[in-house]
Amino acid sequence: MQGTTEEERLAIALVMKRLGQTMDRIGWDKRLCDLTADDVTVLIEEVLDGYGAEMSRIAATAEVPF
């Protein structure tokens, strides 16, 4: 991805684990076109909630640059 910070890339990597756990529950054998609207909603919520939580956690531990 272009234009992402190291913190954003870290948050994305951490969200992948949460997304993988969600896919474990949904089933890795399902094709994207076979997911239900509820499945897709859960995946989107997991990404958005997880990314926001990870960015907040990272920001709370980051050093203020001034």
Side-chain angles (χ1 to χ4, degrees):
M1 285 177 49
Q2 282 186 322
T4 55
T5 65
E6 285 189 37
E7 291 85 1
E8 290 167 329
R9 285 190 293 276
L10 175 58
I12 290 167
L14 293 168
V15 168
M16 281 192 243
K17 182 176 181 180
R18 291 174 62 150
L19 194 56
Q21 292 168 339
T22 302
M23 282 305 300
D24 285 341
R25 289 191 297 276
I26 291 172
W28 286 97
D29 58 326
K30 286 189 177 180
R31 298 180 308 162
L32 187 58
C33 65
D34 294 332
L35 296 178
T36 66
D38 288 339
D39 292 337
V40 174
T41 299
V42 167
L43 289 171
I44 292 169
E45 288 173 348
E46 192 64 44
V47 169
L48 294 176
D49 291 345
Y51 183 79
E54 293 301 337
M55 285 300 293
S56 292
R57 187 185 62 74
I58 291 166
T61 62
E63 189 173 313
V64 178
F66 52 86

